[in-house]
Amino acid sequence: MKRPKKSFEIALSAIACALAAVSLTVGSYVDFLLPSGYLFAIFALMLPLSRDFIWGEALALIGAVLLAFLCAGFQILLILPFAVFFGWHPLLNYLQLRFTKKKPLHALWLLLKAALFDGTLLLIWFVLGEVLGFPQSTWYEFVEQYLYYLVFIGGTVLFAVYDVLIFLCQRSMNRIVARIRR
């Protein structure tokens, strides 16, 4: 296979960075669009990985987080979950597929990523809960009482489904980008 040019890596990473930054910024301004902004930013960051551009993806992620932070009026708390976990997840999946050949190591990767996801959920609860001041209601007391069960059992099961879906999305992105002619 012919080695791709550096200009193609830069262009693909710049497109990914711009799309991710716009998605995160729009999600930061419109509250109900924040989850879909995260999702579109994740899809955008899959672009460089579809051509094995690891450094391009890492720089696109850092650039997208910085641009979204500046364009969203310095609202780091809205972008923090993406910067801590969701932005790095496609890169961790890529590294898992690329460098892990034995099945037990795939289970170790899954446990590592699930622990990172659960830690991000706890970070969201404690940091955003303190800053936003969640209202004291019956659901808040229930979650507060069973927080660790909900995160470590429910969050891990939710993450396993999410991880499989992101792997499938990356495979689709690889097929789409493979059609690009230079």
Side-chain angles (χ1 to χ4, degrees), residues 51-119:
R51 289 294 191 146
D52 300 329
F53 299 146
I54 296 172
W55 289 109
E57 195 275 342
L59 291 175
L61 169 65
I62 293 168
V65 168
L66 290 175
L67 285 172
F69 173 67
L70 292 173
C71 294
F74 302 101
Q75 296 180 7
I76 190 65
L77 295 178
L78 294 176
I79 301 167
L80 184 66
F82 184 83
V84 171
F85 174 75
F86 293 105
W88 294 103
H89 186 243
L91 182 61
L92 292 175
N93 283 349
Y94 175 82
L95 294 174
Q96 176 185 353
L97 287 178
R98 178 93 188 255
F99 297 113
T100 306
K101 302 298 180 209
K102 297 182 180 177
K103 292 288 182 185
L105 293 177
H106 284 287
L108 186 64
W109 272 99
L110 182 65
L111 288 175
L112 173 78
K113 293 185 296 185
L116 186 60
F117 180 74
D118 292 344

Side-chain angles (χ1 to χ4, degrees), residues 135-155:
Q136 301 294 328
S137 63
T138 56
W139 72 268
Y140 179 81
E141 294 169 5
F142 175 78
V143 170
E144 201 50 48
Q145 184 177 2
Y146 298 108
L147 176 67
Y148 294 106
Y149 294 116
L150 290 171
V151 167
F152 292 124
I153 295 171

Side-chain angles (χ1 to χ4, degrees), residues 163-177:
D163 193 42
V164 169
L165 292 175
I166 291 297
F167 271 120
L168 294 174
C169 290
Q170 181 66 53
R171 188 182 309 162
S172 298
M173 187 66 70
N174 292 348
R175 289 184 188 137
I176 291 169
V177 174

